[in-house]
Amino acid sequence: MINFLIGTYIAILWLIPVIFITKKKLYDQRFVCRQWLFPLEFLFQLWFEKITNNNRIVCRILHIITFIFSEFWLFLPLGFLISLGVDPKEHMEILLIIMYYFPIGSICFLFQPKAGKVYRTK
């Protein structure tokens, strides 16, 4: 039951940004795969580009900051488990998914193409 609740937590953190992206039609050809794998980071990327006027260096610095704080997404389910008196070691698999999912998303958006530039292969 607890694994289901923590899995629901992950689904909500993935599903709410996906619903927001589809309702607002915020599709971007530069991030097609990353957009659907890490939709929360994609929304952060759009927000970073907006507040920095597409300054790539500042966007990367903001993604580094996001990387540092991405482990805080783990504290909510961990606190939930501890408050219920459940040993977190029993649910280590799902906690490891949370622990690696958000930092990997931050790293994936560190290296992005320039906005509005079309890349062609030779």
Side-chain angles (χ1 to χ4, degrees):
M1 178 66 178
I2 300 293
N3 272 344
F4 174 74
L5 292 174
I6 298 173
T8 305
Y9 171 75
I10 295 172
I12 288 172
L13 285 177
W14 182 83
L15 190 61
I16 290 174
V18 165
I19 291 171
F20 185 79
I21 289 169
T22 55
K23 290 238 185 221
K24 297 282 186 176
K25 297 182 178 156
L26 299 172
Y27 306 114
D28 195 341
Q29 295 301 320
R30 300 174 295 154
F31 306 111
V32 175
C33 185
R34 292 181 280 180
Q35 173 179 352
W36 300 114
L37 284 175
F38 309 105
L40 185 63
E41 288 295 327
F42 174 71
L43 290 177
F44 283 152
Q45 173 68 29
L46 294 179
W47 184 56
F48 293 161
E49 286 179 353
K50 183 178 178 183
I51 64 173
T52 64
N53 291 326
N54 292 330
N55 189 339
R56 293 180 77 199
I57 299 297
V58 178
C59 281
R60 286 182 178 166
I61 291 170
L62 290 173
H63 276 295
I64 292 170
I65 293 170
T66 304
F67 173 75
I68 293 168
F69 288 106
S70 65
E71 288 302 317
F72 288 114
W73 291 110
L74 180 62
F75 290 154
L76 186 64
L78 200 57
F80 174 72
L81 289 175
I82 292 170
S83 69
L84 290 177
V86 177
D87 186 18
K89 291 180 185 176
E90 297 173 9
H91 307 282
M92 193 58 71
E93 300 86 15
I94 197 107
L95 293 173
L96 284 173
I97 290 170
I98 295 171
M99 187 176 89
Y100 289 116
Y101 175 76
F102 293 105
I104 289 173
S106 296
I107 291 170
C108 285
F109 279 93
L110 271 176
F111 309 102
Q112 75 270 10
K114 292 182 180 178
K117 187 171 182 178
V118 177
Y119 290 91
R120 294 185 181 158
T121 58
K122 292 182 180 181

